[in-house]
């Protein structure tokens, strides 16, 4: 279909697409148009990666906005939200306004009312519904990316309930759901009353196969020689072969540790293919990576990147991941070793994909378990970049002839599993039932069940009795804990229940926090431990031998810990200790312990620290609101603990660290130079500020401006010599301490 034939889209779109080199639609895109995606029809598009899903979404949204409506694009990951917002920002040249929202679960996002296209995560949209964002009534089109993630036990129920609520709010809402090829796309289409485009068409071929011995065997029965040199691993041989064709490789492994180790080894292969010019640019990227944090993880990543290799996992900071993704897209980084999270939609295609590890540890099963077909196909779909690669190749790695046969049967020739709703689990329903009642979607048990009839779970389950049993159990729990009231008129949320729903808390987290706050005078460690015990915090695992260490810590500081402690012989004691370990990390962070020391002590990455800090900050903010709601008189203690963990500083630095651009290290340097709060910073001698900030004029100007200094300019300002000398002495002491710590490791 020629783009000029697309009906009901803005007049400028045809020329815009031509400017991008698009003259005609891909077959799945043309089918979507024929099925009415630009004319308000609901649609499920189940097509492979790189087959044009985003343009289908764009056509739906732009045609909807052109008719006077407002469009919402739901993504599963924050990183994807930023990526999509950048893509859609090009439409602002034609008068459209694009916004993105991913954080602050207590906000109604009123500023989004004037936006034409809004990009958000499913959790954020759910919170907007709970907070009665008035502009949701104006939505005319909702697009949900990666809709097959309704099958995910953790995030799926939120996506499922959110779509059901949006469709309930706006009966005429156009729903467009995008997915990789799945086993039951027709059932998703039935649930959403949608037309279906189910296609395996790709703009470039994807060849799937298995490497064994010295041969790559492909799904069509053909083989090609791909020899493994002496003392070379299979993955390195595949990467070397790809480099010979000037291609890039994504290698999927089953753990962070394996991703880092694989990148370290493969750097020896990629380093031989890096040109002189590429070497200079890679050195620049490596320097940026080292600037992000002073951790071993950061240093290891930079070392690999200098040779054209990298690793990518959730332990990296957001800045690390962005630098790796950008370097890979520019083909400066030749190979990225990643955990499966990278397959979830981030735009990082490559010539070849190697699925090295097709099993991963599953704690519920007590051992290594095979990945799902859908997950492996998601990884494989990253192979091949239209316009850059002649084809894509996805390679599994076999270590025996039997495994070769098994991988073909299990993954290469297999169809993806059907997607199944995970809504009927009690933890998922706890939060969604309270929110459904609090936001007025249901006012009785029958009303709840009627609302749930609009979910995928109801579409897939003929027997309503199981859902009724779980709903009754959850209603009883919410009633006992004071979040819901059951009366002759039906169900209603209490004031406390409304607060818990608005705060986007799991009701069990709220019950735990309230119980702890009623226990006595809280300290920072006690508060950190309290929020770390909730279901909303992912706790650190106890490593071998650590149970004894943290049991001793629990006894030493038991007066600070809030709520009743379980017995050492109870099942919950290990979780209590895991929460204490996580709380101790937060206390170390809020005591200004260096980031590299924290990562080494706890065996985590800088991204993990940021994740724990962000979650603790949110939960402590929620605890502050709950304490105010119940008039518990501990708000100031909670606020101090929250601000300390937010900025990673001791109590005396909280005010300084709150100035934009200061942060934990600069706050300490300013404080040591005699500047103790933002008021003093506003009136400070500029030469002292410049010296404390190590002579960085631009940084000093920005910080003084943010503090409200009447003249922040550093023109003709020299750093104060006495302060500079003290700073040099402090730096030397710090470096000596670091050297001694490193020497102590040997």
């Amino acid at each position: 279909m020629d783009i000029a034939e697309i009906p009901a889209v803005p007049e400028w779109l045809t020329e815009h697409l031509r400017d991008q080199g698009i003259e005609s639609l891909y077959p799945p895109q043309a089918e979507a148009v024929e099925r009415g995606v630009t004319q308000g029809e609901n649609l499920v598009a189940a097509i492979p990666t790189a087959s044009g899903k985003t343009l289908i979404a764009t056509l739906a949204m732009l045609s909807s906005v052109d008719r006077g409506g407002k469009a919402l694009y739901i993504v599963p990951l924050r990183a994807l939200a930023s990526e999509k917002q950048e893509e859609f920002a090009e439409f602002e040249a034609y008068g459209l306004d694009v916004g993105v929202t991913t954080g602050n679960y207590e906000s109604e996002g009123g500023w989004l009312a004037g936006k034409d296209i809004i990009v958000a995560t499913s959790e954020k949209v759910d919170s907007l519904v709970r907070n009665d964002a008035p502009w949701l009534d104006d939505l005319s089109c909702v697009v949900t990316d990666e809709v097959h993630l309704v099958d995910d036990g953790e995030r799926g129920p939120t996506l499922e309930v959110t779509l059901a609520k949006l469709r309930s709010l706006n009966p005429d809402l156009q729903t467009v759901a995008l997915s990789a090829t799945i086993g039951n796309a027709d059932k998703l289409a039935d649930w959403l009353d949608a037309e279906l485009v189910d296609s395996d068409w790709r703009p470039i071929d994807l060849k799937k196969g298995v490497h064994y011995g010295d041969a790559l065997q492909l799904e069509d029965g053909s083989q090609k020689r791909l020899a493994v040199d002496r003392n070379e691993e299979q993955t390195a041989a595949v990467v070397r072969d790809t480099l010979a064709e000037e291609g890039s490789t994504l290698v999927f492994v089953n753990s962070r540790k394996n991703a880092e180790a694989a990148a370290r080894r493969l750097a020896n292969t990629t380093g031989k293919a890096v040109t002189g010019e590429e070497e200079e640019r890679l050195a620049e990227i490596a320097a940026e990576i080292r600037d992000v944090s002073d951790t071993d993880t950061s240093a290891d990543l930079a070392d690999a990147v200098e040779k054209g290799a990298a690793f990518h996992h959730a332990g990296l900071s957001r800045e690390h991941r962005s630098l790796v993704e950008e370097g890979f897209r520019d083909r400066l980084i030749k190979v990225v070793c990643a955990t499966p999270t990278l397959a979830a939609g981030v735009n990082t295609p490559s010539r070849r994909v190697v699925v090295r590890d097709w099993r991963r540890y599953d704690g519920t099963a007590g051992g290594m378990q095979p990945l799902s077909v859908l997950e492996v196909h998601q990884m494989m779909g990253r192979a091949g970049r239209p316009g850059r690669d002649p084809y894509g190749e996805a390679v599994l790695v076999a270590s025996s002839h039997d495994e070769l046969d098994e991988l073909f049967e299990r993954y290469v020739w297999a169809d993806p599993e059907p997607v199944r709703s995970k809504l009927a689990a009690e933890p998922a329903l706890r939060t969604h039932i309270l929110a459904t009642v609090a936001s007025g979607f249901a006012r009785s048990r029958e009303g709840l069940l009627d609302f749930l009839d609009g979910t995928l779970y109801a579409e897939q389950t003929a027997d309503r009795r199981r859902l009724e049993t779980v709903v009754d159990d959850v209603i009883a729990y919410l009633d006992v804990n004071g979040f819901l009231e059951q009366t002759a008129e039906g169900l209603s949320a209490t004031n406390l229940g409304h607060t818990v729903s608005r705060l986007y808390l799991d009701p069990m987290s709220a019950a735990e926090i309230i119980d702890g706050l009623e226990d006595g005078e809280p300290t920072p460690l006690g508060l950190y431990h309290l929020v770390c015990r909730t279901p909303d915090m992912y706790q650190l695992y106890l490593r071998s031998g650590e149970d004894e260490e943290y049991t001793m810590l629990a006894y030493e500081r038991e007066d600070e810990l809030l709520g009743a402690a379980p017995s050492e012989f109870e099942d919950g004691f290990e979780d209590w200790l895991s929460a204490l370990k996580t709380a101790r990390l937060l206390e170390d962070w809020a005591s200004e312990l260096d980031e590299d020391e924290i990562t080494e002590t706890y065996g985590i990455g800088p991204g993990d620290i940021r994740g724990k800090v962000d979650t603790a900050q949110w939960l402590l903010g929620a605890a502050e609101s709950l304490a105010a709601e119940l008039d518990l008189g501990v708000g100031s203690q909670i606020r101090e603990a929250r601000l300390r963990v937010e900025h990673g500083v001791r109590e005396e630095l909280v005010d300084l660290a709150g100035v934009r651009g200061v942060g934990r290290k600069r706050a300490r340097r300013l404080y040591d130079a005699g500047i103790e709060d933002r008021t003093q910073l506003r009136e400070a001698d500029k030469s002292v500020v410049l010296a404390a900030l190590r002579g960085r004029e631009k940084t000093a100007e920005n910080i003084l401006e943010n503090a409200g200094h009447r003249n922040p300019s550093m023109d003709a300002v020299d750093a104060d010599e006495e302060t500079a000398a003290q700073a040099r002495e402090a730096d030397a002491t710090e470096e000596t301490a670091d050297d001694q710590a490193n020497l102590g490791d040997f």
Side-chain angles (χ1 to χ4, degrees), residues 482-533:
F483 302 132
L484 284 185
E485 288 179 336
Q486 299 184 75
T487 65
E489 288 74 35
L491 293 172
S492 62
T494 62
N495 288 339
L496 181 60
H498 277 287
T499 299
V500 170
S501 177
R502 176 178 56 80
L503 293 170
Y504 207 70
L505 279 178
D506 182 328
M508 187 174 280
S509 293
E512 183 81 31
I513 289 170
I514 291 166
D515 180 64
L517 292 180
E518 291 174 338
D519 189 45
E521 194 73 12
T523 65
L525 179 70
L527 289 165
Y528 299 151
H529 185 234
L530 178 61
V531 299
C532 289
R533 298 202 309 261

Coordinates of all heavy atoms in Angstrom, one line a residue, residues 482-533:
G482 N -8.7 -2.5 58.0 CA -9.3 -1.2 58.0 C -9.2 -0.4 56.7 O -9.3 0.8 56.7
F483 N -9.0 -1.1 55.6 CA -8.9 -0.5 54.3 C -10.3 -0.4 53.6 O -10.5 0.5 52.8 CB -7.9 -1.1 53.4 CG -6.5 -1.2 54.0 CD1 -5.8 -2.4 54.0 CD2 -5.9 -0.1 54.6 CE1 -4.6 -2.5 54.6 CE2 -4.7 -0.2 55.1 CZ -4.0 -1.4 55.1
L484 N -11.1 -1.4 53.8 CA -12.5 -1.5 53.3 C -13.5 -1.6 54.4 O -13.2 -2.2 55.4 CB -12.6 -2.6 52.3 CG -12.0 -2.6 50.9 CD1 -12.4 -3.8 50.1 CD2 -12.4 -1.3 50.1
E485 N -14.7 -1.2 54.1 CA -15.9 -1.5 55.0 C -17.0 -2.2 54.2 O -17.3 -1.9 53.0 CB -16.5 -0.1 55.5 CG -15.6 0.6 56.5 CD -16.2 1.9 57.0 OE1 -17.0 2.5 56.2 OE2 -15.8 2.3 58.1
Q486 N -17.5 -3.2 54.8 CA -18.6 -4.0 54.2 C -19.9 -3.6 55.0 O -20.0 -3.8 56.2 CB -18.4 -5.5 54.3 CG -17.2 -6.0 53.6 CD -17.1 -7.5 53.7 OE1 -17.8 -8.2 52.9 NE2 -16.1 -8.0 54.5
T487 N -20.9 -3.0 54.3 CA -22.1 -2.7 54.9 C -23.3 -3.3 54.0 O -23.0 -3.9 53.0 CB -22.3 -1.1 54.9 OG1 -22.3 -0.7 53.5 CG2 -21.1 -0.5 55.6
A488 N -24.5 -3.0 54.5 CA -25.6 -3.5 53.8 C -25.7 -2.9 52.4 O -26.2 -3.5 51.4 CB -26.9 -3.2 54.5
E489 N -25.2 -1.7 52.2 CA -25.2 -1.0 50.9 C -24.1 -1.5 50.0 O -24.1 -1.3 48.8 CB -25.0 0.5 51.1 CG -26.2 1.2 51.7 CD -26.3 1.0 53.2 OE1 -25.3 0.8 53.9 OE2 -27.5 0.9 53.6
G490 N -23.1 -2.2 50.5 CA -22.1 -2.8 49.7 C -20.7 -2.5 50.2 O -20.5 -2.6 51.5
L491 N -19.7 -2.2 49.4 CA -18.3 -2.0 49.8 C -17.9 -0.5 49.6 O -18.3 0.1 48.6 CB -17.4 -2.8 48.9 CG -17.5 -4.4 49.0 CD1 -16.6 -5.0 47.9 CD2 -17.0 -4.8 50.4
S492 N -17.1 0.0 50.6 CA -16.6 1.3 50.4 C -15.2 1.3 51.0 O -14.9 0.6 51.9 CB -17.5 2.4 51.1 OG -17.6 2.1 52.4
A493 N -14.3 2.2 50.4 CA -13.0 2.3 51.0 C -13.0 3.3 52.1 O -13.7 4.3 52.1 CB -12.0 2.8 49.9
T494 N -12.3 3.0 53.2 CA -12.2 3.9 54.3 C -11.2 5.1 53.9 O -10.6 5.0 52.8 CB -11.5 3.2 55.5 OG1 -10.2 2.7 55.2 CG2 -12.4 2.0 56.0
N495 N -11.1 6.1 54.7 CA -10.2 7.1 54.5 C -8.8 6.6 54.3 O -8.0 7.0 53.4 CB -10.2 8.2 55.6 CG -11.5 9.0 55.5 OD1 -12.1 9.1 54.5 ND2 -11.8 9.6 56.7
L496 N -8.4 5.6 55.2 CA -7.1 5.0 55.1 C -7.0 4.2 53.8 O -5.9 4.3 53.2 CB -6.9 4.1 56.3 CG -5.6 3.4 56.4 CD1 -4.4 4.4 56.5 CD2 -5.6 2.4 57.7
G497 N -8.0 3.5 53.4 CA -8.0 2.8 52.2 C -7.8 3.7 51.0 O -7.0 3.3 50.1
H498 N -8.4 4.8 51.0 CA -8.2 5.8 49.9 C -6.8 6.3 49.9 O -6.2 6.4 48.8 CB -9.2 7.0 50.1 CG -10.6 6.8 49.6 ND1 -10.9 6.7 48.2 CD2 -11.7 6.6 50.2 CE1 -12.2 6.6 48.1 NE2 -12.7 6.4 49.3
T499 N -6.2 6.5 51.0 CA -4.8 7.0 51.1 C -3.9 5.9 50.6 O -3.0 6.2 49.8 CB -4.4 7.3 52.5 OG1 -5.3 8.4 53.0 CG2 -3.0 7.8 52.6
V500 N -4.1 4.7 51.0 CA -3.2 3.6 50.5 C -3.3 3.4 49.0 O -2.3 3.2 48.4 CB -3.6 2.3 51.3 CG1 -2.9 1.0 50.7 CG2 -3.3 2.4 52.8
S501 N -4.5 3.5 48.5 CA -4.7 3.3 47.0 C -4.0 4.5 46.3 O -3.3 4.3 45.3 CB -6.2 3.3 46.7 OG -6.3 3.2 45.3
R502 N -4.2 5.7 46.8 CA -3.6 6.9 46.2 C -2.0 6.8 46.2 O -1.4 7.2 45.3 CB -4.0 8.1 46.9 CG -3.4 9.4 46.4 CD -4.0 10.6 47.1 NE -3.9 10.6 48.6 CZ -2.7 10.8 49.2 NH1 -1.6 11.2 48.6 NH2 -2.7 10.7 50.5
L503 N -1.5 6.2 47.3 CA 0.0 6.1 47.4 C 0.5 5.0 46.6 O 1.8 4.8 46.5 CB 0.3 5.9 48.9 CG 0.1 7.0 49.9 CD1 0.2 6.6 51.3 CD2 1.0 8.2 49.6
Y504 N -0.3 4.2 46.0 CA 0.1 3.1 45.1 C 0.8 2.0 45.9 O 1.8 1.4 45.4 CB 1.0 3.6 43.9 CG 0.9 2.7 42.7 CD1 -0.3 2.7 42.0 CD2 1.9 1.9 42.3 CE1 -0.4 1.8 40.9 CE2 1.8 1.1 41.2 CZ 0.7 1.0 40.5 OH 0.6 0.2 39.4
L505 N 0.4 1.8 47.1 CA 1.0 0.8 48.0 C 0.3 -0.5 47.9 O -1.0 -0.6 47.7 CB 1.0 1.2 49.4 CG 2.0 2.2 50.0 CD1 1.7 2.5 51.4 CD2 3.4 1.6 49.8
D506 N 1.0 -1.6 48.0 CA 0.3 -2.9 48.3 C -0.3 -2.8 49.7 O 0.4 -2.4 50.6 CB 1.4 -4.0 48.3 CG 0.8 -5.4 48.5 OD1 -0.2 -5.6 49.2 OD2 1.4 -6.4 48.0
P507 N -1.6 -3.1 49.8 CA -2.2 -3.0 51.2 C -1.4 -3.7 52.3 O -1.4 -3.3 53.4 CB -3.6 -3.6 51.0 CG -3.9 -3.4 49.5 CD -2.6 -3.5 48.8
M508 N -0.8 -4.9 51.9 CA 0.0 -5.6 52.9 C 1.2 -4.7 53.3 O 1.7 -4.8 54.5 CB 0.5 -6.9 52.4 CG 1.2 -7.8 53.4 SD 1.5 -9.5 52.8 CE -0.1 -10.3 53.0
S509 N 1.8 -4.0 52.4 CA 2.9 -3.1 52.7 C 2.4 -2.0 53.7 O 3.1 -1.7 54.7 CB 3.5 -2.4 51.5 OG 4.1 -3.3 50.7
A510 N 1.2 -1.5 53.4 CA 0.7 -0.4 54.3 C 0.4 -1.0 55.7 O 0.7 -0.3 56.7 CB -0.6 0.1 53.7
A511 N -0.1 -2.2 55.8 CA -0.4 -2.8 57.1 C 0.9 -3.0 57.9 O 0.9 -2.7 59.1 CB -1.2 -4.1 56.9
E512 N 1.9 -3.4 57.2 CA 3.2 -3.7 57.8 C 3.8 -2.3 58.4 O 4.3 -2.2 59.5 CB 4.2 -4.3 56.8 CG 5.6 -4.6 57.4 CD 5.6 -5.9 58.2 OE1 4.8 -6.8 57.8 OE2 6.4 -6.0 59.1
I513 N 3.7 -1.3 57.5 CA 4.2 0.0 57.9 C 3.5 0.6 59.1 O 4.1 1.1 60.1 CB 4.2 1.0 56.7 CG1 5.3 0.6 55.7 CG2 4.4 2.4 57.1 CD1 5.1 1.3 54.3
I514 N 2.2 0.5 59.0 CA 1.3 1.1 60.1 C 1.6 0.4 61.4 O 1.8 1.0 62.5 CB -0.2 1.0 59.8 CG1 -0.5 1.9 58.6 CG2 -1.0 1.3 61.0 CD1 -1.8 1.7 58.0
D515 N 1.7 -1.0 61.4 CA 2.0 -1.7 62.6 C 3.3 -1.3 63.2 O 3.5 -1.2 64.4 CB 2.0 -3.2 62.2 CG 2.3 -4.1 63.4 OD1 1.5 -4.1 64.4 OD2 3.3 -4.8 63.4
G516 N 4.4 -1.1 62.3 CA 5.7 -0.8 62.8 C 5.7 0.6 63.4 O 6.4 0.9 64.4
L517 N 5.0 1.6 62.7 CA 5.1 3.0 63.2 C 4.4 3.2 64.5 O 4.6 4.1 65.3 CB 4.4 3.9 62.1 CG 5.1 4.0 60.8 CD1 4.4 5.0 59.9 CD2 6.6 4.6 61.0
E518 N 3.4 2.3 64.8 CA 2.7 2.3 66.1 C 3.6 1.7 67.3 O 3.1 1.8 68.4 CB 1.4 1.6 66.0 CG 0.4 2.3 65.1 CD -0.9 1.6 64.9 OE1 -0.9 0.3 65.1 OE2 -1.9 2.2 64.5
D519 N 4.8 1.2 66.9 CA 5.6 0.5 67.9 C 6.4 1.4 68.8 O 6.8 1.0 69.9 CB 6.5 -0.5 67.1 CG 7.2 -1.5 68.1 OD1 6.5 -2.0 69.0 OD2 8.4 -1.7 67.9
G520 N 6.7 2.6 68.3 CA 7.6 3.4 69.2 C 8.3 4.5 68.4 O 7.9 4.9 67.3
E521 N 9.4 5.0 69.0 CA 10.1 6.1 68.4 C 11.1 5.6 67.4 O 12.0 4.8 67.7 CB 10.9 6.8 69.5 CG 11.5 8.2 69.1 CD 10.4 9.3 69.0 OE1 9.3 9.0 69.5 OE2 10.8 10.3 68.5
P522 N 10.9 5.9 66.1 CA 11.7 5.3 65.0 C 13.1 5.9 64.8 O 13.2 7.2 64.9 CB 10.8 5.4 63.8 CG 10.0 6.7 64.0 CD 9.8 6.7 65.5
T523 N 14.1 5.1 64.5 CA 15.4 5.6 64.1 C 15.5 5.4 62.6 O 14.7 4.6 62.0 CB 16.5 4.9 64.8 OG1 16.5 3.5 64.4 CG2 16.4 5.0 66.3
P524 N 16.5 6.0 61.9 CA 16.6 5.7 60.5 C 16.8 4.2 60.2 O 16.1 3.7 59.3 CB 17.9 6.5 60.1 CG 17.9 7.7 61.0 CD 17.4 7.1 62.3
L525 N 17.6 3.5 60.9 CA 17.7 2.0 60.6 C 16.4 1.3 60.8 O 16.0 0.5 60.0 CB 18.8 1.4 61.5 CG 19.0 -0.1 61.2 CD1 19.6 -0.4 59.8 CD2 19.8 -0.8 62.3
G526 N 15.7 1.7 61.9 CA 14.4 1.0 62.1 C 13.4 1.3 61.0 O 12.7 0.4 60.5
L527 N 13.4 2.5 60.5 CA 12.5 2.9 59.4 C 12.9 2.2 58.1 O 12.1 1.7 57.3 CB 12.5 4.4 59.2 CG 11.8 5.2 60.3 CD1 12.1 6.6 60.2 CD2 10.2 4.9 60.2
Y528 N 14.3 2.1 57.8 CA 14.7 1.4 56.6 C 14.4 0.0 56.7 O 13.9 -0.6 55.7 CB 16.2 1.6 56.5 CG 16.7 3.0 56.3 CD1 18.0 3.4 56.7 CD2 15.9 4.0 55.8 CE1 18.4 4.8 56.6 CE2 16.3 5.3 55.7 CZ 17.6 5.7 56.1 OH 18.0 7.0 56.0
H529 N 14.5 -0.7 57.9 CA 14.2 -2.1 58.0 C 12.7 -2.3 57.8 O 12.2 -3.2 57.2 CB 14.6 -2.6 59.4 CG 14.4 -4.0 59.6 ND1 13.7 -4.5 60.6 CD2 14.8 -5.1 58.8 CE1 13.7 -5.9 60.5 NE2 14.3 -6.2 59.5
L530 N 11.9 -1.3 58.3 CA 10.4 -1.5 58.2 C 10.0 -1.5 56.8 O 9.2 -2.4 56.4 CB 9.8 -0.3 59.0 CG 8.3 -0.2 58.9 CD1 7.6 -1.5 59.5 CD2 7.7 1.0 59.6
V531 N 10.5 -0.5 56.0 CA 10.0 -0.5 54.6 C 10.6 -1.6 53.8 O 10.1 -2.1 52.8 CB 10.3 0.9 53.9 CG1 9.6 2.0 54.6 CG2 11.8 1.2 53.8
C532 N 11.8 -2.1 54.2 CA 12.4 -3.2 53.5 C 11.7 -4.5 53.7 O 11.9 -5.5 53.0 CB 13.9 -3.3 53.9 SG 14.9 -2.0 53.2
R533 N 10.9 -4.6 54.8 CA 10.1 -5.8 55.0 C 8.8 -5.9 54.2 O 8.2 -6.9 54.2 CB 9.7 -5.8 56.5 CG 10.9 -5.9 57.5 CD 10.4 -6.4 58.9 NE 9.3 -5.8 59.4 CZ 9.3 -4.9 60.4 NH1 10.4 -4.4 60.8 NH2 8.2 -4.4 60.9

